[in-house]
Amino acid sequence: MPTRDVHATTRTTRTTRAGMLTALSALTALAAAAAGVALAAPAGATAKASAPTPPAFLSAAELPPHPSSAWTADKVKDGVPDELRFCLDAALPGYDSRYRAFRTDLDTSARQLTIVVASDAKAKALATRLNKEIRSCPTRIEQSDPEVEAEFKDYGTLPVEEGAHVYGLHTETSYGATDIRLLSVGRDGHAVTVVDWSQLGDFEDAPVPAFKKTTTTAVKKLY
């Protein structure tokens, strides 16, 4: 009957156990190092890295140049500017929006409103609705106040990102006060922006080419 080398078996077992202990120690060290890196990372770093960058807004220098006054830009705020509520409020409930207001030292002012939605399809639908509300706004103005006459012009589309559309709106009261506004709606992906410029005057006073350039810039800056 063959005999076993007890000493050889014992040495082999000890060697195997030593190797396993070494491997386990290495794995433990790696795990500890990984945990140390995770603990060393600033709180919220992962959330910040994955958070989408919000759309950028126009700067004062990107507004249509005023012949005698520089533009001043306010800080970006949450909500909808009062000047846009009459024409657009029906299309905006339920959306989170942000805006920036601009002003000159005289009677000229402007606003940019931006809304980010969940998908490109929803953004397209919102832009369509906003365009519709702007086109129907002159009729609603006259219906709300018989002392005001409103005139509308469509200045066409702009080939920027998913497209933009530019409009003019002139109002005149029975006592002779006149106001001219330029409005545009543009879209890039799932973000929609509205640019609104206004001052005292008529269509002849509206800087349409410069406003189209401003609208193009606004849409390009969304993302």
Side-chain angles (χ1 to χ4, degrees), residues 48-62:
K48 289 181 180 178
S50 61
T53 302
F57 280 77
L58 290 165
S59 67
E62 293 165 331

Side-chain angles (χ1 to χ4, degrees), residues 60-82:
E62 293 165 331
L63 273 290
H66 192 280
S68 59
S69 177
W71 285 98
T72 299
D74 290 345
K75 292 182 179 180
V76 176
K77 302 176 182 178
D78 293 333
V80 179
D82 291 338

